[in-house]
Short mmCIF file of all heavy atoms in Angstrom, two decimals:
data_model
loop_
_atom_site.label_atom_id
_atom_site.label_comp_id
_atom_site.label_asym_id
_atom_site.label_seq_id
_atom_site.Cartn_x
_atom_site.Cartn_y
_atom_site.Cartn_z
N ASP F 67 1.27 -12.24 10.07
CA ASP F 67 0.82 -13.04 8.89
C ASP F 67 -0.42 -12.51 8.28
O ASP F 67 -0.59 -12.50 7.03
CB ASP F 67 0.65 -14.50 9.40
CG ASP F 67 1.91 -15.17 9.65
OD1 ASP F 67 2.98 -14.73 9.16
OD2 ASP F 67 1.85 -16.34 10.24
N GLU F 68 -1.33 -12.02 9.15
CA GLU F 68 -2.64 -11.46 8.55
C GLU F 68 -2.41 -10.27 7.61
O GLU F 68 -3.22 -10.10 6.72
CB GLU F 68 -3.59 -11.12 9.71
CG GLU F 68 -3.07 -9.99 10.61
CD GLU F 68 -4.07 -9.64 11.71
OE1 GLU F 68 -5.26 -9.33 11.38
OE2 GLU F 68 -3.61 -9.62 12.87
N PHE F 69 -1.42 -9.45 7.87
CA PHE F 69 -1.13 -8.32 7.00
C PHE F 69 -0.30 -8.75 5.77
O PHE F 69 -0.39 -8.08 4.72
CB PHE F 69 -0.33 -7.24 7.82
CG PHE F 69 -1.10 -6.77 9.06
CD1 PHE F 69 -0.40 -6.40 10.19
CD2 PHE F 69 -2.42 -6.65 8.99
CE1 PHE F 69 -1.07 -5.96 11.30
CE2 PHE F 69 -3.15 -6.21 10.14
CZ PHE F 69 -2.47 -5.85 11.34
N LEU F 70 0.42 -9.81 5.88
CA LEU F 70 1.13 -10.26 4.67
C LEU F 70 0.15 -10.78 3.59
O LEU F 70 0.52 -10.83 2.46
CB LEU F 70 2.12 -11.41 5.07
CG LEU F 70 3.23 -11.11 6.09
CD1 LEU F 70 3.98 -12.44 6.39
CD2 LEU F 70 4.18 -10.12 5.53
N LYS F 71 -1.05 -11.13 4.02
CA LYS F 71 -2.04 -11.64 3.10
C LYS F 71 -2.79 -10.52 2.34
O LYS F 71 -3.55 -10.83 1.43
CB LYS F 71 -2.98 -12.56 3.82
CG LYS F 71 -2.36 -13.83 4.43
CD LYS F 71 -3.37 -14.59 5.29
CE LYS F 71 -2.70 -15.80 5.96
NZ LYS F 71 -3.64 -16.45 6.87
N LEU F 72 -2.66 -9.30 2.83
CA LEU F 72 -3.38 -8.17 2.19
C LEU F 72 -2.93 -7.99 0.72
O LEU F 72 -1.81 -8.01 0.40
CB LEU F 72 -3.15 -6.88 2.96
CG LEU F 72 -3.72 -6.81 4.39
CD1 LEU F 72 -3.19 -5.57 5.04
CD2 LEU F 72 -5.24 -6.84 4.33
N THR F 73 -3.92 -7.86 -0.11
CA THR F 73 -3.69 -7.57 -1.60
C THR F 73 -3.60 -6.06 -1.76
O THR F 73 -4.00 -5.31 -0.93
CB THR F 73 -4.69 -8.16 -2.44
OG1 THR F 73 -5.95 -7.51 -2.15
CG2 THR F 73 -4.86 -9.66 -2.17
N LYS F 74 -3.14 -5.68 -2.97
CA LYS F 74 -3.10 -4.31 -3.28
C LYS F 74 -4.53 -3.64 -3.28
O LYS F 74 -4.75 -2.56 -2.79
CB LYS F 74 -2.49 -4.03 -4.68
CG LYS F 74 -2.34 -2.51 -4.95
CD LYS F 74 -1.91 -2.36 -6.42
CE LYS F 74 -0.48 -2.50 -6.66
NZ LYS F 74 -0.02 -2.16 -8.04
N ASP F 75 -5.49 -4.43 -3.72
CA ASP F 75 -6.89 -3.97 -3.72
C ASP F 75 -7.42 -3.81 -2.32
O ASP F 75 -8.17 -2.86 -2.02
CB ASP F 75 -7.80 -4.94 -4.49
CG ASP F 75 -7.65 -4.80 -6.02
OD1 ASP F 75 -7.08 -3.72 -6.48
OD2 ASP F 75 -7.91 -5.78 -6.74
N ASP F 76 -7.02 -4.72 -1.47
CA ASP F 76 -7.41 -4.58 -0.02
C ASP F 76 -6.89 -3.26 0.54
O ASP F 76 -7.61 -2.52 1.18
CB ASP F 76 -6.79 -5.77 0.79
CG ASP F 76 -7.38 -7.10 0.47
OD1 ASP F 76 -8.54 -7.16 0.14
OD2 ASP F 76 -6.72 -8.10 0.65
N ILE F 77 -5.65 -2.97 0.25
CA ILE F 77 -5.00 -1.78 0.82
C ILE F 77 -5.61 -0.55 0.14
O ILE F 77 -5.83 0.52 0.82
CB ILE F 77 -3.49 -1.80 0.60
CG1 ILE F 77 -2.87 -2.96 1.46
CG2 ILE F 77 -2.83 -0.46 0.97
CD1 ILE F 77 -1.41 -3.23 1.17
N LYS F 78 -5.87 -0.57 -1.10
CA LYS F 78 -6.52 0.60 -1.78
C LYS F 78 -7.87 0.91 -1.13
O LYS F 78 -8.24 2.01 -0.96
CB LYS F 78 -6.80 0.27 -3.27
CG LYS F 78 -5.59 0.55 -4.18
CD LYS F 78 -5.96 0.37 -5.63
CE LYS F 78 -4.84 0.67 -6.55
NZ LYS F 78 -5.17 0.37 -7.94
N GLY F 79 -8.61 -0.16 -0.71
CA GLY F 79 -9.87 -0.03 -0.09
C GLY F 79 -9.88 0.70 1.30
O GLY F 79 -10.93 1.09 1.81
N PHE F 80 -8.66 0.78 1.86
CA PHE F 80 -8.48 1.44 3.18
C PHE F 80 -8.60 3.05 3.04
O PHE F 80 -8.87 3.69 4.02
CB PHE F 80 -7.28 1.08 3.85
CG PHE F 80 -7.06 -0.39 4.17
CD1 PHE F 80 -5.81 -0.95 4.23
CD2 PHE F 80 -8.20 -1.10 4.52
CE1 PHE F 80 -5.70 -2.26 4.54
CE2 PHE F 80 -8.05 -2.44 4.87
CZ PHE F 80 -6.82 -3.02 4.84
N PHE F 81 -8.35 3.50 1.82
CA PHE F 81 -8.11 4.97 1.68
C PHE F 81 -9.41 5.73 1.20
O PHE F 81 -10.29 5.13 0.65
CB PHE F 81 -7.06 5.29 0.64
CG PHE F 81 -5.64 4.86 1.02
CD1 PHE F 81 -5.09 3.63 0.98
CD2 PHE F 81 -4.82 5.83 1.66
CE1 PHE F 81 -3.87 3.30 1.40
CE2 PHE F 81 -3.57 5.59 2.08
CZ PHE F 81 -3.07 4.30 1.99
N ASN F 82 -9.34 7.00 1.50
CA ASN F 82 -10.39 7.93 0.98
C ASN F 82 -10.32 7.93 -0.52
O ASN F 82 -9.30 8.34 -1.13
CB ASN F 82 -10.22 9.27 1.63
CG ASN F 82 -11.37 10.28 1.28
OD1 ASN F 82 -11.99 10.15 0.19
ND2 ASN F 82 -11.43 11.30 2.09
N PRO F 83 -11.35 7.51 -1.21
CA PRO F 83 -11.24 7.45 -2.70
C PRO F 83 -11.15 8.83 -3.33
O PRO F 83 -10.76 8.93 -4.51
CB PRO F 83 -12.63 6.78 -3.11
CG PRO F 83 -13.58 6.99 -1.92
CD PRO F 83 -12.61 7.03 -0.68
N ASN F 84 -11.45 9.91 -2.57
CA ASN F 84 -11.35 11.24 -3.10
C ASN F 84 -9.99 11.77 -3.09
O ASN F 84 -9.67 12.85 -3.73
CB ASN F 84 -12.28 12.16 -2.36
CG ASN F 84 -13.75 11.76 -2.53
OD1 ASN F 84 -14.18 11.36 -3.63
ND2 ASN F 84 -14.50 11.89 -1.46
N ASN F 85 -9.03 11.10 -2.36
CA ASN F 85 -7.64 11.57 -2.21
C ASN F 85 -6.92 11.19 -3.50
O ASN F 85 -6.86 9.99 -3.90
CB ASN F 85 -6.97 10.98 -1.04
CG ASN F 85 -7.43 11.61 0.32
OD1 ASN F 85 -8.28 12.49 0.29
ND2 ASN F 85 -7.02 11.01 1.41
N LYS F 86 -6.32 12.12 -4.17
CA LYS F 86 -5.48 11.86 -5.32
C LYS F 86 -4.29 11.07 -4.94
O LYS F 86 -3.79 10.24 -5.74
CB LYS F 86 -5.08 13.20 -5.94
CG LYS F 86 -6.26 13.95 -6.65
CD LYS F 86 -5.76 15.24 -7.35
CE LYS F 86 -6.92 15.95 -7.94
NZ LYS F 86 -6.46 17.25 -8.60
N VAL F 87 -3.74 11.33 -3.80
CA VAL F 87 -2.53 10.67 -3.34
C VAL F 87 -2.82 9.77 -2.15
O VAL F 87 -3.36 10.30 -1.19
CB VAL F 87 -1.34 11.60 -3.09
CG1 VAL F 87 -0.10 10.85 -2.65
CG2 VAL F 87 -1.02 12.48 -4.27
N LYS F 88 -2.36 8.54 -2.12
CA LYS F 88 -2.59 7.68 -1.00
C LYS F 88 -1.25 7.41 -0.30
O LYS F 88 -0.37 6.77 -0.90
CB LYS F 88 -3.18 6.33 -1.46
CG LYS F 88 -4.61 6.53 -2.11
CD LYS F 88 -5.13 5.21 -2.76
CE LYS F 88 -6.56 5.43 -3.22
NZ LYS F 88 -6.66 6.43 -4.32
N VAL F 89 -1.10 7.96 0.90
CA VAL F 89 0.16 7.80 1.64
C VAL F 89 0.20 6.42 2.35
O VAL F 89 -0.56 6.16 3.24
CB VAL F 89 0.33 8.96 2.62
CG1 VAL F 89 1.59 8.79 3.44
CG2 VAL F 89 0.31 10.28 1.91
N LEU F 90 1.21 5.64 1.96
CA LEU F 90 1.33 4.29 2.51
C LEU F 90 2.78 4.09 3.10
O LEU F 90 3.73 4.25 2.35
CB LEU F 90 1.10 3.21 1.43
CG LEU F 90 1.33 1.76 1.79
CD1 LEU F 90 0.31 1.35 2.89
CD2 LEU F 90 1.14 0.85 0.52
N ALA F 91 2.87 3.79 4.36
CA ALA F 91 4.17 3.55 4.99
C ALA F 91 4.26 2.07 5.30
O ALA F 91 3.41 1.46 6.02
CB ALA F 91 4.23 4.36 6.32
N ASP F 92 5.25 1.48 4.79
CA ASP F 92 5.49 -0.01 4.98
C ASP F 92 6.81 -0.14 5.81
O ASP F 92 7.94 -0.29 5.36
CB ASP F 92 5.71 -0.58 3.59
CG ASP F 92 6.00 -2.11 3.61
OD1 ASP F 92 5.78 -2.68 4.63
OD2 ASP F 92 6.51 -2.61 2.63
N ILE F 93 6.64 -0.06 7.14
CA ILE F 93 7.75 0.00 8.04
C ILE F 93 8.69 -1.25 7.95
O ILE F 93 9.86 -1.03 7.98
CB ILE F 93 7.33 0.11 9.51
CG1 ILE F 93 6.27 1.27 9.68
CG2 ILE F 93 8.50 0.32 10.47
CD1 ILE F 93 6.81 2.62 9.27
N LYS F 94 8.15 -2.40 7.79
CA LYS F 94 8.95 -3.59 7.69
C LYS F 94 9.33 -3.96 6.30
O LYS F 94 10.00 -4.99 6.12
CB LYS F 94 8.08 -4.74 8.40
CG LYS F 94 7.72 -4.54 9.84
CD LYS F 94 8.95 -4.54 10.74
CE LYS F 94 9.45 -5.94 10.95
NZ LYS F 94 10.56 -6.04 11.94
N GLY F 95 8.89 -3.24 5.34
CA GLY F 95 9.28 -3.53 3.98
C GLY F 95 8.72 -4.86 3.48
O GLY F 95 9.38 -5.62 2.69
N ILE F 96 7.39 -5.15 3.78
CA ILE F 96 6.81 -6.38 3.39
C ILE F 96 6.21 -6.43 1.98
O ILE F 96 5.92 -7.44 1.47
CB ILE F 96 5.79 -6.87 4.39
CG1 ILE F 96 4.57 -5.89 4.46
CG2 ILE F 96 6.39 -6.96 5.78
CD1 ILE F 96 3.39 -6.39 5.27
N LEU F 97 6.07 -5.18 1.40
CA LEU F 97 5.46 -5.09 0.13
C LEU F 97 6.50 -4.86 -1.00
O LEU F 97 7.62 -4.37 -0.73
CB LEU F 97 4.45 -3.89 0.11
CG LEU F 97 3.39 -3.88 1.17
CD1 LEU F 97 2.59 -2.57 1.15
CD2 LEU F 97 2.43 -5.06 1.00
N ASN F 98 6.04 -5.16 -2.25
CA ASN F 98 6.96 -4.94 -3.34
C ASN F 98 6.95 -3.45 -3.71
O ASN F 98 5.96 -2.92 -4.15
CB ASN F 98 6.44 -5.77 -4.60
CG ASN F 98 7.39 -5.68 -5.76
OD1 ASN F 98 7.79 -4.64 -6.16
ND2 ASN F 98 7.65 -6.87 -6.34
N ARG F 99 8.06 -2.81 -3.42
CA ARG F 99 8.14 -1.30 -3.62
C ARG F 99 7.73 -0.88 -5.04
O ARG F 99 6.94 0.00 -5.16
CB ARG F 99 9.50 -0.84 -3.23
CG ARG F 99 9.76 0.66 -3.44
CD ARG F 99 11.21 1.04 -3.03
NE ARG F 99 12.21 0.39 -3.76
CZ ARG F 99 12.66 0.75 -4.91
NH1 ARG F 99 12.25 1.84 -5.54
NH2 ARG F 99 13.69 0.04 -5.53
N LYS F 100 8.32 -1.54 -6.00
CA LYS F 100 8.13 -1.11 -7.38
C LYS F 100 6.64 -1.22 -7.78
O LYS F 100 6.11 -0.38 -8.54
CB LYS F 100 8.98 -1.92 -8.27
CG LYS F 100 10.44 -1.55 -8.16
CD LYS F 100 11.30 -2.34 -9.12
CE LYS F 100 12.76 -1.95 -8.96
NZ LYS F 100 13.64 -2.74 -9.94
N GLU F 101 5.97 -2.24 -7.20
CA GLU F 101 4.57 -2.44 -7.56
C GLU F 101 3.68 -1.42 -6.90
O GLU F 101 2.77 -0.94 -7.49
CB GLU F 101 4.17 -3.84 -7.11
CG GLU F 101 2.75 -4.21 -7.47
CD GLU F 101 2.36 -5.58 -6.91
OE1 GLU F 101 3.26 -6.42 -6.62
OE2 GLU F 101 1.15 -5.81 -6.87
N TYR F 102 4.03 -1.03 -5.68
CA TYR F 102 3.18 -0.12 -4.97
C TYR F 102 3.44 1.37 -5.21
O TYR F 102 2.67 2.18 -5.04
CB TYR F 102 3.30 -0.39 -3.42
CG TYR F 102 2.38 -1.57 -3.04
CD1 TYR F 102 2.85 -2.88 -3.27
CD2 TYR F 102 1.16 -1.36 -2.49
CE1 TYR F 102 2.04 -3.95 -2.96
CE2 TYR F 102 0.34 -2.44 -2.16
CZ TYR F 102 0.76 -3.72 -2.37
OH TYR F 102 -0.06 -4.84 -2.06
N GLU F 103 4.67 1.67 -5.66
CA GLU F 103 4.99 3.08 -6.03
C GLU F 103 4.17 3.65 -7.10
O GLU F 103 3.92 4.83 -7.22
CB GLU F 103 6.43 3.16 -6.42
CG GLU F 103 7.43 3.19 -5.20
CD GLU F 103 8.88 3.36 -5.62
OE1 GLU F 103 9.21 2.95 -6.80
OE2 GLU F 103 9.75 3.81 -4.80
N LYS F 104 3.56 2.77 -7.98
CA LYS F 104 2.76 3.25 -9.02
C LYS F 104 1.42 3.87 -8.56
O LYS F 104 0.92 4.75 -9.20
CB LYS F 104 2.38 2.07 -9.97
CG LYS F 104 3.64 1.37 -10.60
CD LYS F 104 3.19 0.12 -11.31
CE LYS F 104 4.45 -0.70 -11.80
NZ LYS F 104 4.01 -2.01 -12.47
N ASP F 105 0.91 3.30 -7.44
CA ASP F 105 -0.42 3.68 -7.02
C ASP F 105 -0.45 4.45 -5.65
O ASP F 105 -1.48 4.94 -5.24
CB ASP F 105 -1.37 2.52 -6.93
CG ASP F 105 -1.49 1.76 -8.25
OD1 ASP F 105 -2.01 2.34 -9.20
OD2 ASP F 105 -0.95 0.66 -8.34
N PHE F 106 0.64 4.49 -5.01
CA PHE F 106 0.69 5.05 -3.64
C PHE F 106 1.98 5.95 -3.47
O PHE F 106 2.90 5.81 -4.25
CB PHE F 106 0.84 3.97 -2.55
CG PHE F 106 -0.31 2.95 -2.58
CD1 PHE F 106 -0.27 1.84 -3.36
CD2 PHE F 106 -1.43 3.18 -1.82
CE1 PHE F 106 -1.28 0.92 -3.41
CE2 PHE F 106 -2.49 2.28 -1.78
CZ PHE F 106 -2.45 1.11 -2.59
N ALA F 107 1.80 6.87 -2.60
CA ALA F 107 2.96 7.58 -2.05
C ALA F 107 3.65 6.72 -1.08
O ALA F 107 3.35 6.73 0.17
CB ALA F 107 2.61 8.97 -1.47
N TYR F 108 4.50 5.73 -1.57
CA TYR F 108 5.00 4.63 -0.73
C TYR F 108 6.30 5.06 -0.15
O TYR F 108 7.21 5.64 -0.71
CB TYR F 108 5.24 3.51 -1.72
CG TYR F 108 5.78 2.24 -0.99
CD1 TYR F 108 5.04 1.32 -0.37
CD2 TYR F 108 7.18 2.06 -1.00
CE1 TYR F 108 5.58 0.19 0.24
CE2 TYR F 108 7.78 0.94 -0.41
CZ TYR F 108 6.99 0.06 0.20
OH TYR F 108 7.53 -1.10 0.79
N TRP F 109 6.39 4.70 1.24
CA TRP F 109 7.61 5.04 1.94
C TRP F 109 7.91 3.80 2.93
O TRP F 109 7.02 3.18 3.41
CB TRP F 109 7.41 6.30 2.80
CG TRP F 109 8.58 6.65 3.65
CD1 TRP F 109 9.61 7.47 3.24
CD2 TRP F 109 8.89 6.31 4.98
NE1 TRP F 109 10.47 7.62 4.28
CE2 TRP F 109 10.11 6.89 5.38
CE3 TRP F 109 8.21 5.53 5.94
CZ2 TRP F 109 10.66 6.77 6.60
CZ3 TRP F 109 8.81 5.34 7.18
CH2 TRP F 109 9.98 5.95 7.52
#
């Protein structure tokens, strides 16, 4: 439940800001793929 509450900004804050590409793996498919594909290398 605690991870379901994470916002996109929360997740962005986890990454190195200098990285052009942010690799995000969503094993359980809890995030909206179309929304996150814009800003992450989403898998």
Side-chain angles (χ1 to χ4, degrees):
D67 286 345
E68 62 180 306
F69 301 145
L70 297 177
K71 296 174 184 175
L72 292 171
T73 66
K74 186 190 280 189
D75 286 339
D76 290 333
I77 295 171
K78 275 185 179 178
F80 297 149
F81 287 89
N82 186 335
N84 297 321
N85 290 354
K86 291 181 181 179
V87 181
K88 298 173 175 60
V89 177
L90 176 63
D92 178 18
I93 308 301
K94 301 289 288 187
I96 66 174
L97 305 175
N98 185 315
R99 176 177 61 88
K100 291 182 179 179
E101 183 182 342
Y102 279 79
E103 279 181 336
K104 300 172 186 175
D105 302 293
F106 301 88
Y108 177 86
W109 180 90

